Amino acid sequence: MVGLYGANSQQSIERLHEFLKIWRKQKFVVTATESFSLTFSAGVVEYLQDGSSIEILYQRMDQALYQAKATGRNRIVVASNC
């Protein structure tokens, strides 16, 4: 979980897309002949718009994260769009 104080959903999405763009380019080297890359999925919630308690925000974020995974992974889904 990452909190972006003062950022709304759109600003959070923009920052996460920048992170995802960099993350997709990373190669992790295991040996001279073996490497791997990782994907990143995220569920984004906005305080008050998507809930007013940590429990509700966590549940909504979890729903959005699972939707991101179910729709192909390696993407960002906003809870208010679920």
Side-chain angles (χ1 to χ4, degrees):
M1 184 185 311
V2 175
L4 298 174
Y5 178 77
N8 63 28
S9 291
Q10 186 57 43
Q11 293 165 327
S12 298
I13 292 165
E14 290 169 9
R15 287 188 180 193
L16 286 170
H17 274 296
E18 286 298 316
F19 174 80
L20 187 54
K21 189 163 90 174
I22 294 166
W23 186 256
R24 286 177 176 148
K25 295 177 185 177
Q26 299 301 308
K27 294 282 184 199
F28 298 90
V29 178
V30 178
T31 65
T33 60
E34 188 179 2
S35 66
F36 64 94
S37 59
L38 301 172
T39 62
F40 175 86
S41 296
V44 174
V45 294
E46 185 175 337
Y47 177 65
L48 292 182
Q49 178 179 326
D50 297 309
S52 60
S53 72
I54 290 291
E55 293 82 14
I56 292 171
L57 289 169
Y58 182 82
Q59 289 171 357
R60 299 277 293 146
M61 178 276 310
D62 197 46
Q63 291 169 347
L65 175 59
Y66 277 96
Q67 183 175 345
K69 290 179 177 184
T71 57
R73 299 180 182 241
N74 204 26
R75 63 190 66 228
I76 300 164
V77 172
V78 181
S80 58
N81 294 337
C82 292

